[in-house]
């Protein structure tokens, strides 16, 4: 069996992590004098701050890669104190993604997902990806984007959809 689905997942995670890097660049340029306070901004009092959103975005592809490698989940420290640390999380996650070398049959294996407080779910690999990882991945990257928007950064949908920029073409009117 091939590994087309695994490769596609690696590419999706990697390209969206590139988007997250782009979002961090915008954050740094807009909040150059006060980046550390940006890392503590949040949408609502009961939501995690911007820095934690970065760690949570990275945890999804990170734990996917670890599962593919037969290793236990290992979440990053959610207390991201600097943009350097945030960038390190992104680059180490991308590096970990490149180490995956399994076939698509991995996606039919059962994965036990520990949810904390003694709770767990047993999901097929495909359900693990489609029903847990991807929704969480996009939730946290969207939340990071929204925190920047709320804080006044000049950021738009094009910044969020960076992965499509190479496919965009201009229609000539001739």
């Amino acid at each position: 069996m091939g590994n087309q689905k695994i490769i596609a997942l690696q590419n999706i995670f990697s390209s969206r992590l590139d988007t997250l890097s782009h979002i961090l660049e915008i954050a740094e340029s807009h909040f150059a004098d006060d980046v550390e306070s940006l890392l503590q901004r949040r949408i609502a009092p009961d939501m995690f701050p911007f820095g934690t959103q970065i760690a949570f975005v990275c945890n999804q592809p990170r734990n996917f890669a670890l599962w593919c490698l037969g290793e236990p989940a290992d979440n990053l420290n959610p207390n991201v104190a600097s943009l350097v640390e945030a960038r390190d999380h992104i680059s180490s996650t991308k590096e970990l993604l490149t180490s995956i070398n399994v076939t698509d049959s991995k996606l039919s294996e059962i994965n036990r997902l520990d949810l904390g407080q003694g709770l767990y779910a047993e999901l097929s690999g495909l359900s693990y990806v489609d029903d847990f990882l991807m929704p969480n991945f996009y939730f946290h990257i969207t939340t990071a984007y929204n925190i920047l928007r709320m804080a006044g950064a000049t950021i738009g949908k094009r910044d969020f959809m960076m992965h499509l920029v190479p496919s965009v073409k201009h229609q000539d009117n001739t």
Side-chain angles (χ1 to χ4, degrees), residues 18-71:
D18 288 342
T19 295
L20 186 60
S21 292
H22 175 73
I23 288 170
L24 284 179
E25 290 170 13
I26 293 170
E28 186 171 38
S29 69
H30 190 79
F31 298 97
D33 298 332
D34 199 15
V35 172
E36 274 63 37
S37 75
L38 169 66
L39 292 170
Q40 296 309 312
R41 291 206 185 192
R42 55 186 81 217
I43 293 175
D46 65 339
M47 291 183 77
F48 290 108
F50 183 75
T52 301
Q53 299 299 334
I54 303 295
F56 287 178
V57 170
C58 293
N59 282 341
Q60 309 315 307
R62 176 182 174 77
N63 286 326
F64 172 72
L66 290 171
W67 175 67
C68 286
L69 295 167
E71 297 179 23

Side-chain angles (χ1 to χ4, degrees), residues 20-166:
L20 186 60
S21 292
H22 175 73
I23 288 170
L24 284 179
E25 290 170 13
I26 293 170
E28 186 171 38
S29 69
H30 190 79
F31 298 97
D33 298 332
D34 199 15
V35 172
E36 274 63 37
S37 75
L38 169 66
L39 292 170
Q40 296 309 312
R41 291 206 185 192
R42 55 186 81 217
I43 293 175
D46 65 339
M47 291 183 77
F48 290 108
F50 183 75
T52 301
Q53 299 299 334
I54 303 295
F56 287 178
V57 170
C58 293
N59 282 341
Q60 309 315 307
R62 176 182 174 77
N63 286 326
F64 172 72
L66 290 171
W67 175 67
C68 286
L69 295 167
E71 297 179 23
D74 183 24
N75 290 325
L76 296 166
N77 182 343
N79 300 316
V80 177
S82 69
L83 286 184
V84 169
E85 186 177 357
R87 283 190 190 95
D88 285 346
H89 284 341
I90 295 168
S91 64
S92 68
T93 301
K94 287 186 71 171
E95 186 176 314
L96 187 58
L97 279 170
T98 64
S99 68
I100 297 171
N101 186 20
V102 297
T103 65
D104 288 346
S105 65
K106 181 72 175 174
L107 298 172
S108 63
E109 292 180 15
I110 298 298
N111 180 22
R112 180 181 165 133
L113 182 63
D114 291 315
L115 303 171
Q117 301 176 341
L119 301 173
Y120 69 94
E122 289 184 340
L123 304 171
S124 71
L126 196 54
S127 289
Y128 171 57
V129 169
D130 290 345
D131 299 333
F132 183 80
L133 290 178
M134 286 303 179
N136 277 293
F137 184 70
Y138 282 111
F139 174 85
H140 292 293
I141 197 168
T142 301
T143 301
Y145 169 91
N146 286 333
I147 290 170
L148 281 184
R149 286 285 308 234
M150 186 184 75
T154 306
I155 189 170
K157 191 168 187 176
R158 181 181 178 127
D159 298 298
F160 188 79
M161 305 288 286
M162 291 297 300
H163 58 281
L164 289 178
V165 170

